[in-house]
Amino acid sequence: MCKVCGCNHAEVTMEGTQHQHHQHLDFDGVDVEQPWSAVSANTSRMIEIEQNILSKNNYYAKQNREQWLADQIFSINFISSPGSGKTTLLTEIILSIKAQHCIYVIEGDQQTALDAMRIRETGVQALQVNTGKGCHLDAHMVGHAAVDLKMQKNAFLFIENVGNLICPAGFDLGEAHKVVILSVTEGEDKPLKYPEIFHAANLMVINKIDLLPYVNFDLQQCCAYAKQINPEIEIIQLSATSGENMEQLNDWLIAGKAELQSGKIKLL
Ligand SMILES: Nc1nc2c(ncn2[C@@H]2O[C@H](COP(=O)(O)OP(=O)(O)O)[C@@H](O)[C@H]2O)c(=O)[nH]1
Ligand SMILES: [Mg+2]
Ligand SMILES: [Zn+2]
Ligand SMILES: [Zn+2]
C-alpha cells in the first residue's frame, strides 16, 4: 500500500514494470477505443466518467502541490508536441545549473526509458513513467514517481510530459508552472489551434530559432497569437542546440524557485 493514495503501487506503470493500468480514459471498465457510435450512445456516462477522472486527478494534484510546497520543491511541467526539444532543453538547463541547484526529473513517454537515460547522462536523477496507450501524465503517476525519487528539499523537479499539446493542458500535476514549448518548424498558428495549453501555461518557449533562416515561421505573429490567447504569457525565444538565449530560460527558472522559497508564490 502506498503513501500517495493507498493503491497498490505496482498499478502505476513505472520504468521496469510491465503493468498497463491507468491508460487514458480506461477507467471504470469503459474503453474509449470502442467504435464512436457505441461511445456516443453513452455520452452522458462518458461525461460523468471524464468528470470523475478529472476530480480524482485534482485530488492527487493537490496532494502533490502541498507536499512540494512543504519541501520547497519548485516543479515545472514541460509540455509540447513530440520533437519540439523538451529533452534537449532539459539536458542543457541541467548542465548549466546543476552545480548550484539540486535537480530531479520525471520523464513521461508512452514507451521506452530513452529520455530518462539521456537525462541521467548529465548526472542528475531521473525516473521514467511509461503511460502505455495514455497520452498524458496524471497527478497520481507523478506523485508516485516523486516519492520514488526521494527528493532532497529546496530542489527543482522538472517534469517532461508526454509529447502532446492537447490533454496535458487539462491534467494538473501539482506543478508550480506549466511551460509550453513550440519549435519554429511547427508553424506560428499553434497557439490558435491548441488554445487550452497556451492559456494554461505561464511561459511559452519558442525553440530552434537557429532554424529560422530555413523555415517560413512568423515569430511576431506567433507571439501575437499566444498573447491573444493568454495576455499574461511570458515568451522566450531560444535555441537549445546553439545555446542562444538559453540563459534567459535558466534565469526564469532560478527566479521562479527563489519566489517560491521567499513565499511570493502561493500554490495552495
Ligand atoms: N536545430 C535544432 N534542433 C533542435 C533544437 N532542440 C532540439 N533539437 C532537435 O530536435 C530533435 C528532438 O528533440 P528532443 O529534445 O528529443 O524533443 P522532445 O521530443 O520534445 O523531447 C532532436 O533531434 C534534437 O537534437 C534546437 O534548438 N535546434
Ligand atoms: Mg523527450
Ligand atoms: Zn497510488
Ligand atoms: Zn491524454
Side-chain angles (χ1 to χ4, degrees):
M1 183 99 48
C2 73
K3 274 204 299 190
V4 175
C5 64
C7 79
N8 176 354
H9 192 166
E11 279 180 20
V12 180
T13 308
M14 295 287 191
E15 207 167 344
T17 73
Q18 295 302 316
H19 301 275
Q20 290 291 313
H21 298 268
H22 295 274
Q23 290 167 1
H24 187 41
L25 293 185
D26 187 18
F27 280 67
D28 294 356
V30 174
D31 180 2
V32 289
E33 287 183 342
Q34 59 189 297
W36 182 248
S37 55
V39 173
S40 58
N42 282 321
T43 307
S44 64
R45 177 83 181 115
M46 288 298 296
I47 291 169
E48 191 187 319
I49 290 165
E50 236 179 88
Q51 284 172 343
N52 194 10
I53 290 167
L54 286 174
S55 71
K56 276 187 196 169
N57 186 75
N58 287 342
Y59 168 79
Y60 294 125
K62 184 166 180 283
Q63 278 198 333
N64 292 348
R65 187 169 281 117
E66 286 172 357
Q67 185 65 51
W68 297 339
L69 188 64
D71 292 343
Q72 296 285 281
I73 302 278
F74 186 59
S75 57
I76 300 287
N77 181 4
F78 289 90
I79 297 169
S80 82
S81 303
S84 304
K86 296 180 292 301
T87 314
T88 312
L89 276 168
L90 283 176
T91 55
E92 294 307 313
I93 294 164
I94 290 166
L95 291 173
S96 298
I97 69 171
K98 70 172 184 174
Q100 293 82 32
H101 299 271
C102 187
I103 305 167
Y104 300 90
V105 179
I106 296 173
E107 282 288 338
D109 262 314
Q110 290 194 317
Q111 299 286 340
T112 86
L114 292 173
D115 283 356
M117 284 158 61
R118 283 170 66 188
I119 299 292
R120 284 187 205 122
E121 281 170 15
T122 66
V124 154
Q125 269 191 67
L127 196 58
Q128 185 85 42
V129 178
N130 285 139
T131 56
K133 286 184 194 167
C135 43
H136 59 269
L137 289 174
D138 68 36
H140 179 218
M141 302 164 172
V142 167
H144 278 293
V147 169
D148 288 353
L149 280 167
K150 298 186 174 61
M151 295 184 283
Q152 286 180 30
K153 296 186 178 188
N154 301 311
F156 279 106
L157 173 61
F158 296 141
I159 303 165
E160 175 174 342
N161 218 310
V162 178
N164 174 4
L165 282 176
I166 306 169
C167 48
F171 282 79
D172 183 7
L173 304 180
E175 72 277 12
H177 296 302
K178 288 183 175 66
V179 172
V180 63
I181 300 154
L182 180 63
S183 63
V184 303
T185 53
E186 295 167 52
E188 64 277 340
D189 53 3
K190 288 292 175 296
L192 297 185
K193 288 182 174 170
Y194 305 102
E196 264 196 72
I197 184 55
F198 290 87
H199 191 258
N202 301 82
L203 172 68
M204 170 171 76
V205 171
I206 302 179
N207 189 27
K208 308 195 188 182
I209 59 168
D210 54 296
L211 299 180
L212 278 173
Y214 312 104
V215 291
N216 283 327
F217 182 86
D218 189 334
L219 207 49
Q220 260 191 324
Q221 186 67 75
C222 183
C223 296
Y225 284 150
K227 291 273 184 192
Q228 183 183 324
I229 300 299
N230 177 1
E232 308 291 316
I233 200 165
E234 294 181 64
I235 301 172
I236 299 177
Q237 307 158 17
L238 52 74
S239 167
T241 51
S242 80
E244 190 178 352
N245 295 343
M246 274 300 293
E247 74 286 354
Q248 289 181 24
L249 180 56
N250 296 337
D251 290 349
W252 188 88
L253 291 166
I254 291 165
K257 183 166 171 255
E259 275 190 6
L260 176 81
Q261 291 172 345
S262 69
K264 278 190 198 148
I265 302 182
K266 293 266 182 284
L267 297 180
L268 298 177

